[in-house]
């Protein structure tokens, strides 16, 4: 009896086993994703495997009240990719759809559930994580001079949730003339009790407006809005940011500094 076919078959099965072992072990979190009123939520594809994976993103049914900000998501080994899902209520008591993330060797689905009640920022308040703790360092220098060079740093906040979910933060304000100033929003997946540092970038446009305000002797502020979210809703926290410079009067001098009063 010729054993070669068996040897070839064994080798072929072994190769398939190795290929299967290399497939990315991914998941979508949170799942399901719940919305309370018109809002945008962050959903993450988390790759727990050792190979990079490219996922095609879609929603079923298409052209539903749920939309996504990207058509694909490349996830590095042991990394994650963020998808922003927007919900625009249909007026029905409940809207449902399915988020699909499909790679050549993997498929992940997440349920999207929306209710038309109020909740704006994503899921209502008071029914989310049991606690959401905000920490901010005092007197953070966002723009400064170091050895003759201008150095810019993002504003950093730390959020710790009592439950697995997502944390997010952003800051918005206005100048005396009504022009918007802001720190770019940041968000991340968070595991219960671990805490995440979020970095909120100050764009050049807002920086220039802050310089003008401070040079005129005014004291610009922003409202920092942060939250911890899970499947049950959102728990908000916040602070008031006060901006100052090195001159602290008419005219402007670096550093440009942000200080916070936690609400």
């Amino acid at each position: 009896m010729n054993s070669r076919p068996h040897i070839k078959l064994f080798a072929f099965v072994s190769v398939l086993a190795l290929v299967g072992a290399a497939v990315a072990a991914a998941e979508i979190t949170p799942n399901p994703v719940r919305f309370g009123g018109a809002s945008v939520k962050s959903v993450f594809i988390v790759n727990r495997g050792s190979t990079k994976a490219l996922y095609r993103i879609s929603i079923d049914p298409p052209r539903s009240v749920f939309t996504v900000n990207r058509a694909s998501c490349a996830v590095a080994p042991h990394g994650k990719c963020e998808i922003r899902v927007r919900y625009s209520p249909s007026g029905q008591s409940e809207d449902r759809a399915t988020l699909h993330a499909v790679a050549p060797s993997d498929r992940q689905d997440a349920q999207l559930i929306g209710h038309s009640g109020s909740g704006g920022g994503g899921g209502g308040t008071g029914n989310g994580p049991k606690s959401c703790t905000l920490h901010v360092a005092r007197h953070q220098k966002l723009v400064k001079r170091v050895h003759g060079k201008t150095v810019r740093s993002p504003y950093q906040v730390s959020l710790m949730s009592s439950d697995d979910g997502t944390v997010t933060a952003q800051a918005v304000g206005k100048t005396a003339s009504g022009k918007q100033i802001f720190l770019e929003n940041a968000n991340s997946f968070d595991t219960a009790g671990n805490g995440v540092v979020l970095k909120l970038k100050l764009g050049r446009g807002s920086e220039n407006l802050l310089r003008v305000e401070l040079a005129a002797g005014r004291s610009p502020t922003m409202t920092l809005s942060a939250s911890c979210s899970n499947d049950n809703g959102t728990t908000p926290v916040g602070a008031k940011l006060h901006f100052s410079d090195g001159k602290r009067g008419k005219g402007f001098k670096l550093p440009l500094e942000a200080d916070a009063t936690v609400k």
Side-chain angles (χ1 to χ4, degrees), residues 83-105:
I83 304 166
R84 300 281 283 171
V85 183
R86 180 179 296 277
Y87 171 53
S88 302
S90 66
Q92 303 293 321
S93 60
E94 182 178 271
D95 296 302
R96 285 180 175 262
T98 303
L99 173 68
H100 299 302
V102 181
S105 302

Side-chain angles (χ1 to χ4, degrees), residues 157-256:
V157 303
S158 173
L159 283 163
M160 185 170 67
S161 175
S162 60
D163 300 276
D164 288 354
T166 58
V167 293
T168 185
Q170 64 178 348
V172 179
K174 288 185 177 181
T175 65
S177 61
K179 294 181 179 179
Q180 188 181 71
I181 48 177
F182 63 93
L183 298 175
E184 295 179 6
N185 71 303
N187 52 69
S188 176
F189 178 71
D190 181 35
T191 54
N194 285 326
V196 172
V197 174
L198 299 178
K199 298 180 179 181
L200 285 62
K201 181 181 177 182
L202 174 65
R204 291 296 182 89
S206 291
E207 177 189 330
N208 291 336
L209 290 172
L210 286 170
R211 285 173 176 256
V212 171
E213 291 292 285
L214 293 166
R218 292 188 282 267
S219 301
T221 64
M222 294 183 193
T223 299
L224 173 67
S225 301
S227 64
C228 303
S229 301
N230 62 11
D231 293 347
N232 297 319
T234 299
T235 300
V237 290
K240 180 70 74 173
L241 301 185
H242 307 268
F243 293 87
S244 62
D245 69 306
K247 197 161 188 177
R248 297 184 184 274
K250 295 269 184 160
F252 178 86
K253 180 182 179 181
L254 291 176
L256 172 58

Side-chain angles (χ1 to χ4, degrees), residues 29-189:
T29 183
N31 187 9
V33 189
R34 301 183 187 276
F35 299 79
S39 53
V40 178
K41 281 202 169 185
S42 292
V43 180
F44 296 88
I45 300 177
V46 182
N47 184 357
R48 306 194 187 284
S50 57
T51 59
K52 183 177 180 179
L54 177 63
Y55 286 86
R56 289 184 293 106
I57 310 300
S58 63
I59 288 181
D60 184 29
R63 298 181 297 279
S64 72
V65 295
F66 298 96
T67 56
V68 290
N69 68 331
R70 60 197 309 165
S72 63
C73 219
V75 196
H78 308 295
K80 60 179 179 285
C81 178
E82 179 190 10
I83 304 166
R84 300 281 283 171
V85 183
R86 180 179 296 277
Y87 171 53
S88 302
S90 66
Q92 303 293 321
S93 60
E94 182 178 271
D95 296 302
R96 285 180 175 262
T98 303
L99 173 68
H100 299 302
V102 181
S105 302
D106 188 28
R107 173 180 175 138
Q108 300 294 327
D109 298 325
Q111 298 303 307
L112 307 177
I113 305 172
H115 295 92
S116 58
S118 63
T125 60
N127 296 319
K130 297 180 183 66
S131 69
C132 183
T133 305
L134 171 67
H135 293 284
V136 289
R138 302 294 305 274
H139 306 292
Q140 294 189 41
K141 292 177 174 58
L142 306 185
V143 187
K144 59 185 177 181
R145 296 286 289 178
V146 179
H147 303 304
K149 295 183 179 180
T150 301
V151 177
R152 292 176 170 84
S153 303
Y155 186 79
Q156 298 189 43
V157 303
S158 173
L159 283 163
M160 185 170 67
S161 175
S162 60
D163 300 276
D164 288 354
T166 58
V167 293
T168 185
Q170 64 178 348
V172 179
K174 288 185 177 181
T175 65
S177 61
K179 294 181 179 179
Q180 188 181 71
I181 48 177
F182 63 93
L183 298 175
E184 295 179 6
N185 71 303
N187 52 69
S188 176
F189 178 71

